[in-house]
Amino acid sequence: DYRGQVLLINIFATWCEPCNREMPELARMHGQYGEQGLTIVAVGGDVSESIGDVRAFVTRHQVPFAVIPPDGQVLASIGGVSGFPTTLVLDRQGVLRHLILGADTEQIESAIKDLIATEE
């Protein structure tokens, strides 16, 4: 569904402080790079969290992109997560180019810029 877009998948947990600090920056990147071909999807990574917890998180951070609630099958299809946040950045052909563990928004933004610039 996202072919032709640079796709950033952010796996988060609502209780994760680095995730809470990172989400506003991801929202900013969505606004800044969305028209250049960036799509962001956030995925709830803690299957013990309720939909209500995720909704409150999304509302609190005014998340402007798609959010998938915690789902074991979705997480298994991604390949498992060893910690929160985990960010995957795929190129326009759907190839995983960056796997970023932890809240490193500078590294995330650099990966986005490189893929957008090289593939426009």
Side-chain angles (χ1 to χ4, degrees), residues 29-112:
M29 289 179 214
H30 169 79
Q32 185 170 349
Y33 302 106
E35 290 187 14
Q36 297 174 51
L38 174 67
T39 297
I40 298 178
V41 176
V43 178
D46 182 350
V47 295
S48 69
E49 291 188 303
S50 72
I51 298 279
D53 292 336
V54 174
R55 281 191 184 126
F57 179 88
V58 167
T59 300
R60 181 171 59 253
H61 292 293
Q62 300 177 338
V63 177
F65 43 80
V67 177
I68 298 171
D71 181 311
Q73 290 180 339
V74 170
L75 294 171
S77 71
I78 291 172
V81 177
S82 61
F84 303 111
T86 296
T87 302
L88 298 86
V89 185
L90 290 75
D91 67 18
R92 294 179 195 270
Q93 289 72 45
V95 176
L96 177 63
R97 296 294 181 182
H98 301 274
L99 174 63
I100 302 164
L101 305 175
D104 189 340
T105 54
E106 288 180 17
Q107 186 179 4
I108 292 169
E109 190 160 16
S110 177
I112 291 167

Side-chain angles (χ1 to χ4, degrees), residues 10 18-26 85 87 102-105 108:
N10 179 261
C19 300
N20 278 278
R21 288 191 308 270
E22 178 181 70
M23 197 56 65
E25 283 297 303
L26 295 178
T87 302
D104 189 340
T105 54
I108 292 169

